[in-house]
């Protein structure tokens, strides 16, 4: 029962992430949608698989290791993309404040 | 400014750096504790990845991970500053601190997913890049703090600036509420920094 709930939640989170990538205005706000929704959706789906699979305990633990690696790597990649985009000259659109441009003119 | 104040400021900065270095060195773990902590982490990883629990596999893994841990003892544990006996450290990390962190991060992650869905549907965004100060000094601590900030609702770390023993983070905030550095830091970091200061320096 609970694995269907987790699977539905993961797929819904992925769909809202895709809508966010299509609707947000610039690179940085799109990265918000990509990073968080991918991490949350993939972790929910992997948790549902780990609960529902018919296998010994160590195979379930391997799926949890995969979820841990996704949670470790995904924010790092988004940080690298955001910093690379800023260094190559893509400015955020309509910012309230941009303190990074104050310190790195 | 005159030459004397410049000189005094340089002296002050060297003294500050020196005390920071002394604190760092005096709280360092001894060598055998580093080896044992690395060995435990690598051995758990070996068992989970190799996936069979026969006796010769476990003995083989223990020997191989011990040799690896004795070479790579500085890789994982260089920035850990943790008080107490070794067994107390491992048990309190496995049963007290790690579940606390996982509990905090699961609820933050679900909240951030719903918040992104709300922003995507209503488009009430108000983005900006703010600068916050952190009290951590080590590289590992700052890395884990920045990754956790990226997964908490509405924030994305862009860059880290370390100078003169102080570290600053540039954070892209999708809904800017305040421009004051202390208030913004309190709202963004929450209780994650308190948790990290128990383990890293």
């Amino acid at each position: 029962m609970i694995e269907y709930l987790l699977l539905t939640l993961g797929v819904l989170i992925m769909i809202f992430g895709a809508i966010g990538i299509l609707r947000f205005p610039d690179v940085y706000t799109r990265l918000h949608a990509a990073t968080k929704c991918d991490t949350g959706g993939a972790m929910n789906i992997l948790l549902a698989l780990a609960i529902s699979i018919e296998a010994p305990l160590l195979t379930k633990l391997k799926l949890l290791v995969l979820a841990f690696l996704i949670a470790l790597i995904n924010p790092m990649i988004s940080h690298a993309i955001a910093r690379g985009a800023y260094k190559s000259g893509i400015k955020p659109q309509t910012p309230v404040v941009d303190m990074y441009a104050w310190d790195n003119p | 400014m005159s030459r004397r104040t410049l000189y005094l400021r340089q002296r002050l900065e060297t003294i500050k750096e020196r005390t920071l270095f002394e604190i760092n060195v005096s709280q360092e773990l001894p060598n055998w504790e580093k080896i044992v902590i690395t060995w435990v982490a690598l051995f758990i990883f070996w068992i989970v990845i190799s996936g069979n629990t026969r006796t010769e596999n476990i003995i083989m893994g223990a020997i191989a991970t011990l040799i690896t841990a004795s070479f790579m003892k500085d890789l994982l544990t260089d920035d850990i500053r943790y008080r107490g006996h070794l067994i107390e450290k491992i048990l309190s990390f496995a049963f007290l601190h790690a579940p606390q962190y996982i509990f905090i991060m699961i609820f933050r992650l679900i909240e951030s997913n719903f918040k992104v869905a709300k922003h995507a549907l209503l488009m009430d965004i108000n983005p900006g890049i703010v600068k916050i100060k952190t009290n951590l000094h080590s590289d590992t601590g700052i890395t884990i703090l920045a990754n956790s900030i990226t997964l908490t609702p509405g924030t994305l770390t862009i860059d880290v600036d370390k100078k003169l023993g102080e570290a600053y983070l540039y954070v892209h905030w999708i809904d800017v509420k305040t421009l004051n550095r202390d208030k913004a830091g309190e709202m963004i970091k929450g209780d994650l920094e308190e948790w990290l200061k128990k383990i890293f320096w």
Side-chain angles (χ1 to χ4, degrees):
Chain A
M1 185 56 216
I2 192 168
E3 62 260 27
Y4 292 113
L5 205 68
L6 284 173
L7 209 57
T8 317
L9 191 63
V11 173
L12 274 180
I13 287 170
M14 287 284 204
I15 289 171
F16 278 115
I19 294 174
I21 290 176
L22 288 176
R23 287 195 68 184
F24 280 146
D26 63 343
V27 178
Y28 306 99
T29 43
R30 281 181 184 171
L31 270 177
H32 277 277
T35 312
K36 285 160 198 158
C37 291
D38 273 12
T39 314
M43 282 176 80
N44 270 318
I45 291 171
L46 280 172
L47 208 61
L49 282 181
I51 290 173
S52 70
I53 197 170
E54 300 269 341
L57 182 66
L58 282 169
T59 315
K60 298 186 178 189
L61 279 179
K62 275 184 196 174
L63 286 174
L64 291 185
V65 169
L66 212 58
F68 171 72
L69 286 180
I70 285 176
L72 195 70
I73 291 168
N74 232 342
M76 234 181 294
I77 299 295
S78 82
H79 154 73
I81 293 174
R83 188 167 179 273
Y86 208 104
K87 292 280 179 191
S88 63
I90 301 171
K91 300 293 178 199
Q93 288 178 6
T94 66
V96 177
V97 61
D98 192 353
M99 294 192 190
Y100 195 56
W102 297 355
D103 291 347
N104 304 285
Chain B
M1 97 187 50
S2 70
R3 177 169 292 181
R4 172 166 296 174
T5 53
L6 191 64
Y7 171 75
L8 278 177
R9 185 192 284 179
Q10 279 177 353
R11 281 288 297 167
L12 205 65
E13 277 163 10
T14 49
I15 289 172
K16 205 183 269 180
E17 206 167 312
R18 184 76 197 163
T19 47
L20 209 64
F21 182 73
E22 292 285 337
I23 291 170
N24 174 17
V25 169
S26 70
Q27 289 177 348
E28 202 166 358
L29 299 182
N31 263 339
W32 65 276
E33 290 196 355
K34 284 184 180 181
I35 292 178
V36 172
I37 290 174
T38 316
W39 187 27
V40 170
L42 287 179
F43 191 46
I44 292 171
F45 193 67
W46 170 281
I47 289 177
V48 172
I49 289 298
S50 74
N52 66 4
T53 51
R54 284 185 317 196
T55 319
E56 63 261 29
N57 185 42
I58 288 179
I59 293 171
M60 183 71 206
I63 296 169
T65 48
L66 181 58
I67 294 171
T68 314
S70 64
F71 283 116
M72 308 297 269
K73 62 179 186 296
D74 286 337
L75 189 68
L76 283 177
T77 59
D78 206 16
D79 292 330
I80 295 179
R81 302 287 180 271
Y82 209 167
R83 302 185 185 286
H85 194 260
L86 176 64
I87 297 174
E88 186 187 332
K89 270 174 210 165
I90 292 177
L91 286 182
S92 72
F93 179 75
F95 292 106
L96 192 67
H97 290 133
Q100 196 181 356
Y101 178 72
I102 291 172
F103 193 74
I104 294 173
M105 282 314 293
I106 281 178
F107 282 98
R108 288 286 186 90
L109 188 57
I110 293 173
E111 186 193 344
S112 79
N113 288 329
F114 284 121
K115 214 166 205 173
V116 166
K118 195 198 86 179
H119 285 309
L121 289 181
L122 300 180
M123 289 299 285
D124 52 347
I125 59 173
N126 198 9
I129 298 175
V130 297
K131 180 183 184 184
I132 61 173
K133 183 178 181 300
T134 170
N135 293 321
L136 295 163
H137 299 290
S138 65
D139 288 343
T140 315
I142 291 174
T143 309
I144 295 178
L145 180 67
N147 279 354
S148 310
I149 281 175
T150 301
L151 290 181
T152 51
T155 46
L156 176 81
T157 315
I158 287 185
D159 205 353
V160 180
D161 187 16
K162 265 180 87 173
K163 54 186 172 189
L164 301 180
E166 292 182 336
Y168 295 96
L169 296 173
Y170 294 96
V171 175
H172 184 273
W173 202 356
I174 204 168
D175 189 12
V176 177
K177 295 201 178 66
T178 171
L179 295 184
N180 189 335
R181 186 177 292 168
D182 299 330
K183 278 185 194 166
E186 207 168 288
M187 287 172 76
I188 289 174
K189 285 182 294 193
D191 43 2
L192 283 168
E193 194 177 37
E194 297 297 316
W195 184 86
L196 281 171
K197 275 185 87 69
K198 287 179 199 160
I199 294 180
F200 302 103
W201 69 288

